[in-house]
Amino acid sequence: MDRVARSAFDVARQRVGRVLAPLVFFALLVTPTGLPAPAHRLAAIFAATVVLWVSEAVPLGAAALVAPALAVAMDVTPRPRRSPRSPAR
């Protein structure tokens, strides 16, 4: 009986996490904050990742890979500046 109840709880927790993570992500993404735009996007990514970790909706390794992938896709970091090429000697 205890094993069935724990299993049902785990299933419910994972389902809630699968729904809650995108909701938290988009809610934080559209909510105005005093942060600069890249930090605002990073906060939304971080909150969704935490929800995925706590709920174990996806394996922890997969959740850990979602954050950097989203950070790259959402252009969280500025692009490095190219230095002007020095003239050939």
Side-chain angles (χ1 to χ4, degrees):
M1 180 77 176
D2 184 41
R3 188 175 239 187
V4 172
R6 189 176 312 151
S7 176
F9 172 75
D10 288 341
V11 170
R13 180 183 54 175
Q14 290 173 349
R15 286 182 182 168
V16 168
R18 286 185 189 127
V19 172
L20 191 60
L23 288 177
V24 166
F25 175 76
F26 287 115
L28 283 175
L29 201 57
V30 299
T31 303
T33 63
L35 298 171
H40 189 133
R41 293 189 297 263
L42 186 60
I45 293 168
F46 179 71
T49 304
V50 168
V51 170
L52 289 175
W53 281 343
V54 170
S55 67
E56 296 179 4
V58 296
L60 294 177
L65 291 175
V66 166
L70 280 174
V72 168
M74 296 185 71
D75 201 26
V76 170
T77 61
R79 298 181 193 276
R81 291 185 180 183
R82 290 189 167 196
S83 61
R85 293 187 177 193
S86 59
R89 292 183 182 189

